[in-house]
Amino acid sequence: MTSPASRPLLNRRLAEFGTTIFAEMSALALRTGAINLGQGFPDTDGPEEVREAAVRALRDGRGNQYPPGPGVPELRTAISAHQERRYGLSYDPDTEVLVTAGATEAIAASLLALVEPGDEVIALEPYYDSYAASIALAGGARVPVTLRPSGDVGGGFHLDLDELRRAVTDRTRLLLLNTPHNPTGTVLTREELAGIAELAVERDLLVVTDEVYEHLVFDGEHLPLASFPGMRERTVTISSAGKTFSFTGWKVGWVTGTPELVTAVRSAKQFLTYVSAGPFQYAVAEALALPESYFTGLREDLRAKRDLLAAGLAEAGLTVHRPAGTYFITTDIRSIGESDGFAFCRALPERIGVVAIPNAVFYDHRDEGAPFVRFAFCKRIPVLDDAVSRLKRL
């Protein structure tokens, strides 16, 4: 009989994924007492009325037992109304909306449902680390298409549509997109999205879009890919409450799509968590109905924080790639004579008391991402002021 120790215990599909860089850098922040601008979560809670809605649901006994598998009707209705009000996209709350344990589960369930071993999945590089793991779990082959800085010093990152087209083969099953984009802060333009839509229709591709930063756009506008011609029937749209309402620990996300796509994703999702976040679902339903002033205020608050940290990073000598959206600023450390983002980030807490993330962890082509470092600005102003003063020591 073969000993259990005769081969590695971890499934070989996950062999390349160890402890995430976020855990490593957060532990470093704790050990050194550094300001953690690495992981993208706010250091304050969201609206008091939304928190109270969760407390009320708990006390009223709503969601304390298993909620319905697709999500509570109130939240599915609120998601449907949000998509209609914001983007003119009509989804049936009973058949075209699915509530998930955050966007991370939505991504994993979508890929597990739609990808078979050997299928190629194209993702925009750099990409959020769970994308690679989810593609691997599904047995797919990831094909990165790299976003690169524009020719302007400090300009944003852009997609080369010709490169994307060349990446599509007869084995390509799905495009996995993220806009607004983490970590670069890129917001794909109407022209870029139209080009993606045209390609998806032409090559009969499925698309999964991660739009969790949809309300955090400072320059330009967020346009769901599902709103482009021919895309509603082939697009799984994902979003969540964590980034929009600053309750990242609640883990409430959702999927919208055709009944066939949502049924497929639910078939995988039901064997992951089955259900989650019962009372919080009722609170998020109320959050989605907040007045427009809330969303405007959130955007303006984060725009000011972006500008504050961007100015501080530039004063420290770093090349700042100004983000059009999200929580994050990508910088190029070559302007201060550095070239290895990993070494830079591992030394930074001891050096000046600030934690950042090396973008190379989000790349298959590590050399492409080597000089880039990501800082999060979703923190209180005094924290950012302190970080900026420390950055001056660079």
Side-chain angles (χ1 to χ4, degrees), residues 291-365:
E292 184 60 26
S293 58
Y294 167 75
F295 300 94
T296 302
L298 172 72
R299 192 163 54 247
E300 293 306 316
D301 175 66
L302 282 164
R303 179 185 279 116
K305 291 175 177 179
R306 175 199 66 174
D307 294 345
L308 169 62
L309 183 57
L313 291 165
E315 278 185 45
L318 297 165
T319 298
V320 175
H321 293 283
R322 190 178 182 82
T326 76
Y327 280 162
F328 307 110
I329 294 175
T330 288
T331 61
D332 189 328
I333 60 175
R334 287 174 291 192
S335 56
I336 57 170
E338 304 268 2
S339 59
D340 182 342
F342 278 102
F344 178 81
C345 288
R346 286 178 173 135
L348 200 62
E350 297 278 8
R351 188 173 168 189
I352 64 166
V354 174
V355 165
I357 296 291
N359 280 25
V361 298
F362 307 122
Y363 285 78
D364 278 342
H365 301 110

Side-chain angles (χ1 to χ4, degrees), residues 133-364:
S134 296
I135 294 167
L137 284 169
R142 68 180 182 270
V143 177
V145 171
T146 308
L147 299 176
R148 295 185 177 88
S150 67
D152 302 331
V153 175
F157 285 67
H158 295 282
L159 171 64
D160 184 331
L161 287 170
D162 291 331
E163 185 176 344
L164 177 64
R165 181 172 287 274
R166 288 193 299 270
V168 176
T169 73
D170 291 341
R171 290 180 294 165
T172 306
R173 168 71 165 169
L174 186 146
L175 305 179
L176 176 54
L177 304 179
N178 174 211
T179 183
H181 182 263
N182 172 18
T184 68
T186 296
V187 176
L188 293 178
T189 65
R190 184 179 295 276
E191 292 71 27
E192 288 169 330
L193 290 166
I196 293 168
E198 181 181 329
L199 177 62
V201 171
E202 177 189 323
R203 299 300 296 268
D204 193 24
L205 303 176
L206 296 172
V207 185
V208 173
T209 64
D210 174 356
E211 303 179 12
V212 298
Y213 296 99
E214 60 184 312
H215 291 291
L216 307 184
V217 175
F218 317 119
D219 304 316
E221 60 179 329
H222 173 63
L223 301 168
L225 189 65
S227 65
F228 284 72
M231 293 311 297
R232 189 190 184 285
E233 57 267 34
R234 64 181 67 249
T235 302
V236 174
T237 302
I238 292 169
S239 194
S240 75
K243 304 299 190 292
T244 300
F245 302 110
S246 300
F247 290 114
T248 57
W250 289 9
K251 297 300 290 179
V252 179
W254 52 84
V255 163
T256 54
T258 64
E260 295 79 12
L261 285 169
V262 168
T263 297
V265 176
R266 188 173 68 237
S267 296
K269 180 262 189 302
Q270 67 188 342
F271 297 114
L272 296 174
T273 58
Y274 179 51
V275 293
S276 61
F280 298 133
Q281 291 190 36
Y282 293 97
V284 173
E286 294 192 27
L288 285 169
L290 286 172
E292 184 60 26
S293 58
Y294 167 75
F295 300 94
T296 302
L298 172 72
R299 192 163 54 247
E300 293 306 316
D301 175 66
L302 282 164
R303 179 185 279 116
K305 291 175 177 179
R306 175 199 66 174
D307 294 345
L308 169 62
L309 183 57
L313 291 165
E315 278 185 45
L318 297 165
T319 298
V320 175
H321 293 283
R322 190 178 182 82
T326 76
Y327 280 162
F328 307 110
I329 294 175
T330 288
T331 61
D332 189 328
I333 60 175
R334 287 174 291 192
S335 56
I336 57 170
E338 304 268 2
S339 59
D340 182 342
F342 278 102
F344 178 81
C345 288
R346 286 178 173 135
L348 200 62
E350 297 278 8
R351 188 173 168 189
I352 64 166
V354 174
V355 165
I357 296 291
N359 280 25
V361 298
F362 307 122
Y363 285 78
D364 278 342

